[in-house]
Amino acid sequence: MFNIKDLKASIGDKEILKGINLTINPGEVHAIMGPNGSGKSTLAKVLTGHPDFTEAEGSVLLKGKNLLELDPDERALEGLFLAFQYPVEIPGVNNEEFLRMAYNAKMKKNGKDAVDPLDFSDFIQEKLAKLSMDESFLERNVNHGFSGGEKKRNEILQLLVLEPEMVILDETDSGLDIDALRIVAKTVDAYRRADRGILVITHYQRLLDYIKPDIVHVLANGKIVKSGDKSLALELEDKGYDWVEAEAK
Amino acid sequence: MSNRNETKMVVDKKNYIDPDWLLEIRQEAKALFKDIGFPNSRHETWKYLNLDQDLDLERHIKKTPIRRTERDECVSVLFKNNTPECESILANKNDLIITNFRSAYAEHKELIKSSLSKGLLQNPFSYLNTAQFDDGALILVKEGCKVEGPIIIDLQTHVEEERLKGIHTRTLIVLEKGASATVFVQHHSFLDKPEFVNDYFDIVLKEEATLEFILTQEGDQPYRFETIKASIDTKANLNYVSFVNDCLVTRHDMGVDFIGEKAVVNLAGIALLSSESQYFNHLYIDHKVGNCDCSQVFKTILRDKSLSEFSGLVVVAKHAHGTNSTQSNPNLLLSDNARALSRPQLRIDADDVECAHGATMGQLNPEEVFYLESRGLNKSAARALLTFGFAEDIIQRIKQPLIQHECDLILREGLSSYDKHR
Ligand SMILES: Nc1ncnc2c1ncn2[C@@H]1O[C@H](COP(=O)(O)OP(=O)(O)OP(=O)(O)O)[C@@H](O)[C@H]1O
Ligand SMILES: [Mg+2]
């Protein structure tokens, strides 16, 4: 369902992604691990159409459509979702109102009527409960003044509202306390379905204890240098990245 | 309403003459005004506002829509042009007194007199106001009284047979020790000829008094000048929010004097400017004593050929230690032809003082636009939402829920055309 072919991206003269190939079949969960600065977040940004990377080369197919030819909002409406490593704060914009606008953009794309605020309010309550989030988060402004962990949880709330088919999580586990990590990870794991794909970017095995990946990739220096099953994550936790990078050379 | 006060309020308009002390004050103010003269671009603080400019004023007359919310809980003061109509709305109880000056010159002479003679900014229009105002409104909240609903000051301009020589309204708001209130100022214009409007608000907060003061201005007279002077005593608290919704020429002069320690003043404002609108915002914050907090956040959103000027001077006196005063002036420029001038200034003579100031000019943050787009909002919807958020951030600082709601509606209406823009 999700097919990345020879994806390259640069900032200025600096090439950051140097030809990424990755295929995620429906129902699969893939994990990407890799050293700091290896290009993991860049990959997520390129896939979602961040304005710094409009010149990316290669192709990214989601259900047959080349995402690289689409604007970021069109990619989202095709079913792509990124939970950001660093979600931005948006003062003055009410969280619930924003969620409803995003939800209604999707409804419109699907030829359905917009939901009114009251119906949406009922709909969102149930999602909040799944994440053990307090109702007050709806009244606040988008991520504004949220703690690191609260921001991450708010990203997953958006995921539950928008119900995307292809999900990318960029270090969603970092910043979450032990209980929050369990709640969030279990929620994501419950989100797995035969027609959905999930790509988890993480540094730590603990997230993968809850969301067991089918395949683990190592990204180093802009390339996928190794792929394996979930035991690879354990091996990395044990031995670090040096041996993988050495092997790749 | 007590009978005692009712009889006092009947003032014979035709035969009224100002008391001698007031005539004297007016003479002095007139002399001061003549001294400075009508401002022109050679005056530093009037550099960008050319009052002789040949604007086609009548073209710019916009009638303000009448706005009403559920106001059962409110008291209001209605100004028709120069004159407050306090007779009909008097909430003359023992703890809240709302009255016109003429009915109060006897009983509250010292209060009014000291406001008229001392409560001045060094500004020609404040002198002109003192010389010219007809009658004023006094809002006096007695010691310890907490006024529940907002007090509305509705400044209306109407057509009169004779052309007016400008409209000069005068309001004195005094909160005694421990009192609290919310005052909401709005303007309604029923004019079809341009008029020069010069409003003056003198705010006196005694120890531990808490005032929320919201000033809104909408499509209105081509020239609207507002002077706000606040004197803040020990542990008093002022929350001030201004909201300018596209008036042709607006000038705000605000002076805050800290005269007692541990007071907190929050000043915030948002101005939406389009076509050839101009907004001049001048602040003068005087930390005469220490250990007070003052924050200023004044934002503008500029489109077309609009112009804004922010000039904020913060003065910290030599012995005013422990002062914390911040100032910021973010401007959102949505057109290449719009201009925002910003002059935050600090003059600090004390040690142990925290002051920060800054201005930003620019466009929407691309990271924020991208974030919203990545959730399925198209670019123009994302931009519109962020522009709204930029302004709403100020409206949210209004604590009184009725008023916040009302301003929120005005903002949404004012910005509704923006997503088609760029
Ligand atoms: N806008 C930018 N300008 C310059 N360099 C950039 C920019 N964005 C990313 N980079 C560089 O690209 C490289 C990859 O960054 P990226 O954020 O993708 O790393 P990462 O693998 O996500 O790291 P981490 O594990 O720390 O999150 C880094 O060297 C980074 O400094
Ligand atoms: Mg990263």
Side-chain angles (χ1 to χ4, degrees):
Chain A
M1 71 180 290
F2 195 57
N3 211 313
I4 304 173
K5 262 208 189 115
D6 202 25
L7 185 65
K8 292 179 182 163
S10 314
I11 285 253
D13 296 338
K14 192 178 163 201
E15 190 172 53
I16 297 172
L17 299 184
K18 301 172 180 170
I20 306 261
N21 291 290
L22 183 68
T23 297
I24 298 177
N25 296 310
E28 285 182 355
V29 173
H30 289 223
I32 291 188
M33 304 182 81
N36 294 133
S38 56
K40 302 180 300 296
S41 293
T42 302
L43 174 62
K45 285 182 187 171
V46 172
L47 295 175
T48 46
H50 189 280
D52 284 352
F53 303 101
T54 46
E55 308 280 284
E57 288 171 46
S59 72
V60 178
L61 300 182
L62 177 59
K63 294 175 292 170
K65 267 199 188 144
N66 189 357
L67 296 184
L68 297 186
E69 288 162 4
L70 302 179
D71 288 337
D73 56 308
E74 295 168 325
R75 299 183 196 197
L77 295 174
E78 286 301 325
L80 180 68
F81 180 91
L82 167 63
F84 286 83
Q85 182 175 4
Y86 303 111
V88 296
E89 300 195 8
I90 308 193
V93 174
N94 173 273
N95 207 19
E96 181 167 353
E97 204 171 326
F98 161 61
L99 287 165
R100 194 177 70 243
M101 284 176 82
Y103 183 74
N104 280 336
K106 184 188 151 180
M107 296 299 272
K108 191 175 167 199
K109 155 90 182 177
N110 295 342
K112 293 189 185 148
D113 288 343
V115 294
D116 67 51
L118 281 177
D119 290 340
F120 187 75
S121 181
D122 292 342
F123 167 78
I124 190 96
Q125 291 302 333
E126 170 215 339
K127 313 285 178 195
L128 273 179
K130 274 192 183 168
L131 286 164
S132 314
M133 276 174 87
D134 194 88
E135 247 179 86
S136 63
F137 284 104
L138 296 177
E139 287 150 33
R140 291 173 64 179
N141 294 327
V142 182
N143 296 328
H144 192 214
F146 284 27
S147 74
E150 289 167 350
K151 283 180 188 165
K152 295 300 180 70
R153 231 191 268 213
N154 202 34
E155 292 290 287
I156 303 306
L157 177 65
Q158 295 176 37
L159 166 86
L160 294 182
V161 167
L162 296 174
E163 299 195 330
E165 281 145 280
M166 183 60 221
V167 179
I168 305 168
L169 306 178
D170 190 358
E171 293 195 30
T172 298
D173 50 343
S174 63
L176 291 175
D177 67 43
I178 300 160
D179 294 330
L181 176 72
R182 190 186 60 247
I183 292 165
V184 164
K186 283 190 167 171
T187 308
V188 173
D189 194 53
Y191 192 75
R192 285 172 96 144
R193 224 167 65 179
D195 56 345
R196 291 172 177 163
I198 301 178
L199 180 62
V200 183
I201 298 170
T202 184
H203 286 296
Y204 305 106
Q205 166 63 30
R206 55 179 187 200
L207 180 67
L208 304 178
D209 286 341
Y210 296 101
I211 314 169
K212 299 219 162 51
D214 299 294
I215 301 179
V216 176
H217 308 274
V218 178
L219 186 70
N221 199 14
K223 277 189 149 164
I224 291 183
V225 293
K226 194 172 178 69
S227 302
D229 63 13
K230 56 179 184 289
S231 64
L232 178 58
L234 289 166
E235 203 173 349
L236 290 168
E237 183 121 298
D238 203 30
K239 299 201 259 175
Y241 290 112
D242 287 352
W243 66 278
V244 192
E245 284 177 275
E247 211 174 74
K249 269 174 197 158
Chain B
M1 203 183 293
S2 74
N3 286 330
R4 187 179 65 107
N5 285 320
E6 241 172 274
T7 45
K8 237 205 281 178
M9 260 168 294
V10 180
V11 173
D12 180 351
K13 269 205 161 178
K14 288 237 168 59
N15 298 318
Y16 170 84
I17 31 167
D18 284 335
D20 288 344
W21 59 266
L22 178 54
L23 288 170
E24 252 171 61
I25 290 174
R26 287 192 194 273
Q27 283 305 327
E28 277 168 36
K30 202 173 279 177
L32 285 166
F33 176 73
K34 282 198 176 140
D35 245 19
I36 305 186
F38 209 70
N40 60 41
S41 55
R42 284 192 305 277
H43 293 75
E44 182 58 25
T45 64
W46 294 88
K47 211 164 163 178
Y48 301 98
L49 171 53
N50 185 355
L51 286 171
D52 309 323
Q53 61 196 314
D54 190 21
L55 287 167
D56 176 8
L57 293 180
E58 306 213 359
R59 188 163 63 85
H60 293 285
I61 293 280
K62 284 186 263 176
K63 292 203 175 154
T64 325
I66 296 272
R67 304 195 186 271
R68 293 231 159 273
T69 34
E70 288 304 314
R71 289 207 173 145
D72 298 347
E73 304 296 306
C74 314
V75 254
S76 48
V77 182
L78 172 69
F79 271 88
K80 276 198 172 153
N81 295 334
N82 286 308
T83 316
E85 298 201 335
C86 290
E87 280 95 340
S88 53
I89 48 84
L90 255 173
N92 221 331
K93 297 183 212 137
N94 291 330
D95 41 9
L96 170 64
I97 293 171
I98 300 180
T99 177
N100 57 331
F101 280 8
R102 288 182 185 181
S103 316
Y105 283 143
E107 193 175 346
H108 300 289
K109 177 182 161 191
E110 286 316 312
L111 204 59
I112 297 173
K113 190 177 167 188
S114 99
S115 162
L116 291 174
S117 51
K118 286 190 229 137
L120 283 181
L121 274 188
Q122 293 214 341
N123 167 326
F125 290 98
S126 105
Y127 299 145
L128 191 62
N129 183 288
T130 306
Q132 299 283 65
F133 80 88
D134 176 48
D135 194 356
L138 168 67
I139 299 172
L140 173 61
V141 188
K142 289 292 189 69
E143 182 167 338
C145 166
K146 317 257 179 238
V147 181
E148 288 288 328
I151 299 166
I152 314 251
I153 301 179
D154 192 354
L155 300 168
Q156 298 191 351
T157 39
H158 293 262
V159 185
E160 294 211 349
E161 278 162 38
E162 214 179 314
R163 236 203 110 161
L164 296 156
K165 292 191 218 77
I167 294 168
H168 306 271
T169 76
R170 185 95 184 189
T171 305
L172 169 60
I173 301 164
V174 181
L175 269 63
E176 290 185 352
K177 185 175 178 186
S180 74
T182 300
V183 173
F184 176 56
V185 181
Q186 60 175 186
H187 296 93
H188 283 121
S189 173
F190 303 95
L191 287 177
D192 40 20
K193 286 247 179 299
E195 202 57 78
F196 168 78
V197 179
N198 180 24
D199 300 316
Y200 194 110
F201 302 92
D202 190 10
I203 296 169
V204 178
L205 301 189
K206 300 278 173 62
E207 298 93 325
E208 292 168 37
T210 299
L211 176 70
E212 173 157 51
F213 187 84
I214 302 113
L215 177 70
T216 61
Q217 248 171 271
E218 292 190 83
D220 214 4
Q221 284 71 31
Y223 286 106
R224 186 140 317 244
F225 288 45
E226 309 287 320
T227 305
I228 306 105
K229 176 85 169 48
S231 142
I232 314 291
D233 212 331
T234 311
K235 290 186 186 165
N237 195 316
L238 171 66
N239 188 42
Y240 168 90
V241 180
S242 70
F243 179 13
V244 175
N245 186 9
D246 226 3
C247 305
L248 187 61
V249 177
T250 304
R251 172 149 175 145
H252 285 177
D253 282 273
M254 176 157 205
V256 177
D257 278 346
F258 285 94
I259 58 168
E261 298 207 345
K262 295 188 182 159
V264 177
V265 170
N266 292 308
L267 310 172
I270 176 71
L272 312 183
L273 304 169
S274 67
S275 64
E276 290 165 21
S277 296
Q278 303 184 343
Y279 174 47
F280 305 91
N281 190 16
H282 291 248
L283 291 113
Y284 183 85
I285 312 298
D286 196 356
H287 288 274
K288 291 190 166 82
V289 298
N291 297 317
C292 291
D293 291 352
C294 182
S295 80
Q296 304 171 47
V297 185
F298 286 94
K299 297 185 176 182
T300 63
I301 300 176
L302 299 110
R303 298 195 297 169
D304 308 324
K305 289 187 193 160
S306 56
L307 167 77
S308 77
E309 180 197 18
F310 174 83
S311 164
L313 175 61
V314 176
V315 179
V316 182
K318 198 159 186 181
H319 45 274
H321 307 298
T323 292
N324 183 356
S325 205
T326 62
Q327 191 173 50
S328 90
N329 173 225
N331 299 288
L332 190 54
L333 291 155
L334 299 179
S335 141
D336 296 336
N337 297 319
R339 274 200 308 161
L341 309 156
S342 191
R343 268 185 304 153
Q345 303 164 72
L346 296 172
R347 197 189 297 153
I348 303 170
D349 294 324
D351 323 315
D352 174 29
V353 163
E354 271 183 60
C355 288
H357 63 162
T360 52
M361 306 286 162
Q363 317 292 315
L364 295 165
N365 179 346
E367 294 295 334
E368 294 175 16
V369 177
F370 173 62
Y371 186 77
L372 299 185
E373 285 181 282
S374 80
R375 299 306 183 230
L377 303 186
N378 65 38
K379 193 165 229 96
S380 72
R383 295 183 61 92
L385 186 59
L386 290 172
T387 306
F388 168 76
F390 179 84
E392 177 73 3
D393 172 48
I394 299 296
I395 302 301
Q396 287 175 352
R397 293 164 199 249
I398 299 171
K399 294 182 186 135
Q400 215 295 326
L402 259 175
I403 305 300
Q404 192 198 72
H405 180 66
E406 185 157 338
C407 289
D408 181 66
L409 293 179
I410 299 172
L411 177 68
R412 284 170 196 271
E413 191 183 302
L415 289 177
S416 59
S417 63
Y418 277 41
D419 42 346
K420 285 160 218 120
H421 205 84
R422 283 248 302 220

